[in-house]
């Protein structure tokens, strides 16, 4: 990010802090239908049209570091196996033998030059090719092994981070990420290691859990000692990107000496990512990578929170920490702390507990007759834009009318367009006129 862009974003953050109403021209956000969080019909559409067609975080190369290593993955329905091929290429396949459907791997991690179904020992190379069928003579003479390899799943990487997509026609990962691909270059995705990855089950709809991390309206109220010293919600700047992604950028409060806030900002012993620029070092940057990744990015860590729907009213939250090599020091873990009640157990950190504490109660309240609609403020526009993207991914016309959100945030408010630049220039001109 060059100096001019940094200066522009810093000026816009200050402008946000001065405004006394939403920006001129920003659309009024209609209430969202309450049933988006409680409807089995809408949930089924999300599972089929969103999670089956989006690029999804699957893992890190550290989990399959060498040729022959594989890992089982089943966070989005169909079980798959991600394989570090003997040729060095990382691939993904449905974890389903082409004979009678048994899994070809049954453990979470392993290493082998071949993948073998334990039921009848059908054997596959790490590129998915079927190379072994016991009692081959008992199959018809024209039985063609070459067309019975493991069925692939789209698999691409951002540096060391592995993504999968069940849609064979999906755009490439780089195109899906759009400008984020270049913006994230400074965070050394090709060098960061996997430090921690833990999962926790939440008793609420996945959007309830995720949206707690998509706005700063709540920060002064439930994070007074943890996040509030780091984030000024008044000077928060949201940017919407194509394909449903978004960025929140906020400086610390003017009364905060960021260098002395150690809780999540610069843990002792962590190595700095030297390529990170000024905003990553001085502000809080939180990105939504559609559909289910939210992460602050800084000069110390890449720590995504990933939200997986497990039912209409339950969610699996993955808490991941990635950082530069920590050498002989303990592996850094931003989001979890030791659980003294069980050996080697982990529990959610205070920050995550603060964000998740209301999830179950919110879900129960949403299921009551009193929950009719959701009014959102300008500060929460990132959430409204996210819901627009959900409907577009599903197909707006395929969403029942009573469940749709109106598509009111248009391209004029989506990167690279930025109407606030003109408002900022207008304000500067008025200031010069007044001074003269």
């Amino acid at each position: 990010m060059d100096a001019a862009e940094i200066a522009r974003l810093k000026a816009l953050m200050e402008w946000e802090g001065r405004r006394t109403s939403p920006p001129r021209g920003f659309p009024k956000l209609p209430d969202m239908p309450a049933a988006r969080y409680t409807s089995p019909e809408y949930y089924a559409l999300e599972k089929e049209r969103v999670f089956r067609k989006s690029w999804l975080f699957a893992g890190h190369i550290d989990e399959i570091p060498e040729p022959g290593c594989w890992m089982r993955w089943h966070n989005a329905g169909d079980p798959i196996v991600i394989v570090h091929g003997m040729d060095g290429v990382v691939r993904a396949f449905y974890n389903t033998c082409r004979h009678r459907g048994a899994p070809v791997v049954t453990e979470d991690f392993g290493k082998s030059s071949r993948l073998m179904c334990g039921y009848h020992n059908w054997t596959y190379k790490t590129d998915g090719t079927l190379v072994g069928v016991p009692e081959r003579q008992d199959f018809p003479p024209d039985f063609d092994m070459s067309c019975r390899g493991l069925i692939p799943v789209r698999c691409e990487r951002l540096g060391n981070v592995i993504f999968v997509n069940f849609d064979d026609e999906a755009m490439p990962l780089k195109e899906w990420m759009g400008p984020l691909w270049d913006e994230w270059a400074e965070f050394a995705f090709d060098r960061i290691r996997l430090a921690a990855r833990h999962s926790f089950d939440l008793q609420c709809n996945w959007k309830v859990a995720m949206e707690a991390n998509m706005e700063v309206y709540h920060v002064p109220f439930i994070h007074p000692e943890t996040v509030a010293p780091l984030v000024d919600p008044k000077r928060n700047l949201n940017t919407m990107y194509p394909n449903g992604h978004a960025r929140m950028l906020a400086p610390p409060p003017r009364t905060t000496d960021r260098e002395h806030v150690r809780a999540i900002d610069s843990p002792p012993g962590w190595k700095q990512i030297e390529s990170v620029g000024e905003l990553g070092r001085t502000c809080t940057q939180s990105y939504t990578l559609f559909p289910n990744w939210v992460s602050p990015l800084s000069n110390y860590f890449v720590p995504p929170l990933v939200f997986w729907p497990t039912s209409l009213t339950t969610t699996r939250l993955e808490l991941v920490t990635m950082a530069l090599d920590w050498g002989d020091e303990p592996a850094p873990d931003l989001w979890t702390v030791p659980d003294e009640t069980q050996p080697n157990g982990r529990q959610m950190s205070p920050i995550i507990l603060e964000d998740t504490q209301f999830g179950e109660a919110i879900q129960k309240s949403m299921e009551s007759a009193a929950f009719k609609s959701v009014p959102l403020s300008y500060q929460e526009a990132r959430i409204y834009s996210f819901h627009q993207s959900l409907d577009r991914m599903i197909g707006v016309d395929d969403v029942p009318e009573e469940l749709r959100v109106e598509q009111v945030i248009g391209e004029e408010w989506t990167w690279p367009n930025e109407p606030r630049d003109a408002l900022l220039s207008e304000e500067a001109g008025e200031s010069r006129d007044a001074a003269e």
Side-chain angles (χ1 to χ4, degrees):
M1 193 177 294
D2 62 27
E5 178 67 1
I6 291 171
R8 185 184 75 86
L9 292 173
K10 289 169 68 174
L12 282 173
M13 283 188 281
E14 297 304 317
W15 179 86
E16 289 279 3
R18 293 191 299 271
R19 65 176 177 78
T20 57
S21 64
R24 188 174 70 246
F26 189 80
K28 177 183 176 182
L29 302 179
D31 282 20
M32 297 196 309
R36 293 174 71 85
Y37 301 89
T38 60
S39 164
E41 184 177 8
Y42 193 77
Y43 175 73
L45 288 169
E46 290 174 331
K47 293 283 286 184
E48 181 63 29
R49 304 283 185 87
V50 177
F51 282 86
R52 300 289 298 185
K53 295 182 179 295
S54 299
W55 283 101
L56 305 171
F57 168 73
H60 189 284
I61 194 65
D62 281 356
E63 295 173 284
I64 47 171
E66 300 173 350
C69 290
W70 49 260
M71 62 181 288
R72 188 170 58 169
W73 189 85
H74 45 77
N75 281 338
D78 291 346
I80 68 175
V81 55
I82 301 170
V83 185
H84 192 151
M86 298 305 292
D87 58 0
V89 177
V90 174
R91 300 178 178 88
F93 304 97
Y94 286 92
N95 186 21
T96 305
C97 179
R98 297 299 302 280
H99 178 214
R100 285 168 58 188
V104 294
V105 302
T106 57
E107 303 293 330
D108 287 337
F109 298 94
K111 184 177 181 182
S112 175
S113 61
R114 294 287 189 269
L115 302 175
M116 181 183 293
C117 168
Y119 195 8
H120 296 96
N121 280 24
W122 279 37
T123 304
Y124 305 84
K125 294 172 62 176
T126 56
D127 66 1
T129 304
L130 177 62
V131 292
V133 175
E135 308 298 340
R136 172 69 180 81
Q137 71 278 2
D138 288 339
F139 287 85
D142 61 352
F143 182 80
D144 186 358
M145 292 173 55
S146 69
C147 64
R148 297 183 185 273
L150 295 176
I151 295 177
V153 175
R154 292 281 299 279
C155 182
E156 297 184 18
R157 290 167 58 182
L158 171 62
N160 290 331
V161 182
I162 303 165
F163 290 84
V164 296
N165 193 319
F166 289 99
D167 182 6
D168 290 339
E169 304 302 318
M171 66 181 70
L173 175 64
K174 183 176 182 179
E175 184 179 346
W176 171 257
M177 291 183 63
L180 269 60
W181 184 275
D182 292 329
E183 282 191 28
W184 286 11
E186 65 184 274
F187 297 101
F189 275 78
D190 59 339
R191 293 186 289 126
I192 53 173
R193 296 195 56 203
L194 179 65
R197 183 177 184 179
H198 303 285
S199 297
F200 301 87
D201 292 323
L202 307 177
Q203 302 303 308
C204 61
N205 183 270
W206 71 282
K207 298 186 296 300
V208 171
M210 184 166 165
E211 289 166 13
N213 298 274
M214 293 174 66
E215 45 86 2
V216 292
Y217 187 22
H218 71 282
V219 165
F221 313 113
I222 70 170
H223 297 302
E225 304 297 329
T226 52
V227 181
L230 293 172
V231 175
D232 183 352
K234 297 289 187 183
R235 292 186 286 158
N236 170 58
L237 175 67
N238 283 306
T239 301
M240 316 305 175
Y241 293 99
N243 299 325
H245 316 311
R247 178 188 65 202
M248 183 276 288
L249 182 62
R254 298 187 193 281
T255 56
T256 296
D257 180 357
R258 192 176 174 94
E259 289 300 315
H260 292 89
V261 179
R262 315 296 293 187
I264 65 170
D265 196 37
S266 52
W270 286 38
K271 293 183 179 179
Q272 286 203 55
I273 304 172
E274 299 294 342
S275 54
V276 172
E278 179 182 347
L279 296 181
R281 289 183 282 106
T282 61
C283 298
T284 296
Q285 294 185 106
S286 177
Y287 285 86
T288 304
L289 182 63
F290 189 85
N292 65 330
W293 156 312
V294 179
S295 179
L297 301 180
S298 84
N299 54 324
Y300 285 96
F301 45 65
V302 175
L305 296 84
V306 192
F307 300 83
W308 300 106
T310 51
S311 76
L312 175 60
T313 58
T314 58
T315 300
R316 179 169 298 116
L317 169 59
E318 276 201 286
L319 301 174
V320 183
T321 303
M322 294 180 279
L324 291 184
D325 195 307
W326 46 92
D328 295 329
E329 297 294 322
D333 187 341
L334 183 66
W335 297 129
T336 74
V337 295
D339 184 349
E340 298 178 357
T341 66
Q342 50 182 317
N344 301 317
R346 307 293 292 184
Q347 62 183 1
M348 292 184 283
S349 70
I351 293 172
I352 301 301
L353 287 172
E354 289 167 354
D355 272 328
T356 59
Q357 61 183 308
F358 299 115
E360 183 173 0
I362 288 173
Q363 188 66 41
K364 293 297 183 185
S365 293
M366 285 180 164
E367 293 166 3
S368 76
F371 184 55
K372 299 183 182 301
S373 64
V374 181
L376 294 177
S377 68
Y378 168 70
Q379 273 202 46
E380 299 163 295
R382 185 176 168 196
I383 294 175
Y384 193 94
S385 177
F386 168 72
H387 279 262
Q388 287 189 179
S389 297
L390 286 174
D391 282 8
R392 287 198 300 269
M393 195 78 183
I394 292 168
V396 173
D397 291 340
D398 293 331
V399 178
E401 188 173 357
E402 69 275 10
L403 296 175
R404 289 179 205 159
V405 295
E406 296 183 41
Q407 300 284 319
V408 297
I409 302 176
E411 291 185 3
E412 69 276 13
W413 289 95
T414 302
W415 185 98
N417 300 313
E418 180 49 89
R420 288 168 294 192
D421 284 338
L423 299 177
L424 179 61
S425 297
E426 181 181 306
E427 180 186 273
E430 290 173 351
S431 297
R432 285 194 300 269
D433 291 344
E436 293 173 357

